[in-house]
Amino acid sequence: MPLTTIEAIRSDDVAGLTYCRALEAGQILLFPRAPFELPAGDRAFLLTRRQAGAGYHKNIAYRPQRDRVTGVVKQAADDADRLRHILRDYSRRVAGFAATLLPTYARAWRLDFASFRPQEEAGRSLPPHARNDRLHVDAFPTRPSGGDRILRVFTNINPTADRVWLTGDNFERLAERFALSSGLLPAVQRPSLARRLRRLARSLGLPVTVRSPYDSFMMGFHHFLKGNLEYQQAAQTERLAFPPASTWLVFTDMVSHAVLSGQYALEQTFIVPRESLALPEKAPIAILERIAGAKLA
Ligand code: SIN
Ligand code: FE
């Protein structure tokens, strides 16, 4: 079972890095009750929000660095302000809680976007690479990580319904099976004119994203897994139901996952530097570099 349930945080487990190790080994840490404050009034307000153009915006996003919300339908100025305040408070509280649980990560992590997910996931119509109901590991098109890790904290704020996931093999198993056979790893190792041109453009001050071979692989792998129906159908999976008010933490660049149903979840992403890991040899970049026999970032 990829799930470790935590009723109360044990300080010796914090000091002993037990939680970091469990996450880095591919465990999902589950808190049956939200381990940080989420005022009832804020939750009730969130349940009334609607997101804009559900095909384009996957979620309502909050950017902590800019204190800015995107992806929400046009609303009265007061409501827009209230939503921003609620997401700001949520982001701060979840970061405070996660820093208590994982202090060695908190010293160096980057606070990435938070999101609110108001759409029902069952039967959602999205383009194939955006579909949440196909198993995948996460990679961000606009924020290459250079080998750092994607840690996400989810909270189900639905008052009555579970959020239901499938989880499958973790990254090591998937990479052993598909990194070479898919052709993706050899492809990202070849010198690429596109990458050189992007570097040049960036050195001239243009706002282009330069992906390392690692990031190109992870983006390609995300699409490859979602598009591989044979793999999707044959994969050995476990069904996990996250009840109302529960919170769970997971390295989504490692644990393959799909969401089958559920509506109204909050989520905060942290980018954890490679140097902060307790088990660096289990990081996707280390696994891929072993298979490739070369540095990838
Ligand atoms: C995902 O990262 O694939 C989405 C998970 C969720 O929204 O529950
Ligand atoms: Fe995902």
Side-chain angles (χ1 to χ4, degrees):
M1 191 71 171
L3 208 59
T4 302
T5 303
I6 304 175
E7 300 287 345
I9 301 172
R10 292 168 46 128
S11 55
D12 48 339
D13 284 344
V14 170
L17 303 183
T18 308
Y19 300 123
C20 298
R21 284 173 208 272
L23 287 166
E24 291 175 42
Q27 285 283 303
I28 299 174
L29 302 186
L30 171 69
F31 289 79
R33 285 166 302 281
F36 52 89
E37 197 196 344
L38 253 179
D42 291 3
R43 269 182 281 134
F45 180 82
L46 288 173
L47 300 186
T48 65
R49 291 307 93 192
R50 295 289 165 263
Q51 80 181 60
Y56 178 66
H57 291 285
K58 258 176 86 169
N59 312 297
I60 293 173
Y62 174 72
R63 303 179 181 212
Q65 270 72 21
R66 296 199 200 164
D67 190 29
R68 188 159 169 251
V69 176
T70 53
V72 71
V73 291
K74 214 169 161 36
Q75 54 188 338
D78 283 359
D79 284 351
D81 263 359
R82 175 139 190 232
L83 178 62
R84 192 162 49 86
H85 283 117
I86 290 174
L87 292 178
R88 183 201 298 158
D89 288 348
Y90 156 72
S91 176
R92 285 183 184 162
R93 289 198 192 107
V94 78
F97 145 72
T100 306
L101 187 74
L102 308 164
T104 53
Y105 293 167
R107 277 180 220 130
W109 68 26
R110 299 191 289 285
L111 189 64
D112 195 70
F113 299 174
S115 63
F116 175 53
R117 298 158 182 247
Q119 296 284 117
E120 171 55 57
E121 294 292 342
R124 219 176 142 176
S125 129
L126 286 168
H129 292 157
R131 284 180 68 149
N132 292 334
D133 60 346
R134 301 234 172 119
L135 286 167
H136 64 283
V137 286
D138 285 349
F140 297 144
T142 55
R143 283 117 63 217
S145 86
D148 296 338
R149 308 288 310 274
I150 300 174
L151 175 68
R152 304 186 105 171
V153 183
F154 292 88
T155 298
N156 181 7
I157 64 161
N158 192 302
T160 53
D162 293 344
R163 194 170 188 85
V164 179
W165 277 25
L166 286 183
T167 60
D169 283 329
N170 70 27
F171 185 83
E172 183 154 24
R173 178 89 193 80
L174 293 172
E176 279 163 2
R177 209 170 139 200
F178 294 124
L180 296 173
S181 67
S182 65
L184 277 169
L185 191 54
V188 302
Q189 286 193 271
R190 285 194 280 275
S192 132
L193 180 62
R195 195 173 301 126
R196 262 194 286 154
L197 287 175
R198 286 182 157 269
R199 273 210 197 99
L200 179 67
R202 194 174 59 174
S203 68
L204 296 173
L206 298 174
V208 289
T209 308
V210 183
R211 284 194 192 137
S212 63
Y214 170 76
D215 288 294
S216 299
F217 177 89
M218 293 304 277
M219 206 60 246
F221 203 46
H222 169 273
H223 292 357
F224 166 82
L225 292 174
K226 282 191 179 177
N228 186 337
L229 294 187
E230 203 182 313
Y231 155 70
Q232 295 285 331
Q233 272 146 24
Q236 296 234 338
T237 56
E238 285 201 57
R239 185 179 176 282
L240 302 177
F242 299 107
S246 64
T247 288
W248 60 105
L249 293 86
V250 54
F251 275 114
T252 53
D253 55 4
M254 167 177 207
V255 177
S256 64
H257 58 282
V259 53
L260 298 187
S261 67
Q263 186 177 16
Y264 306 122
L266 284 165
E267 174 270 338
Q268 172 69 58
T269 299
F270 301 88
I271 304 299
V272 180
R274 245 180 124 172
E275 297 70 36
S276 308
L277 299 173
L279 306 172
E281 71 284 359
K282 287 202 177 290
I285 189 159
I287 291 164
L288 280 176
E289 288 184 339
R290 271 201 299 281
I291 298 174
K295 292 259 172 266
L296 296 171

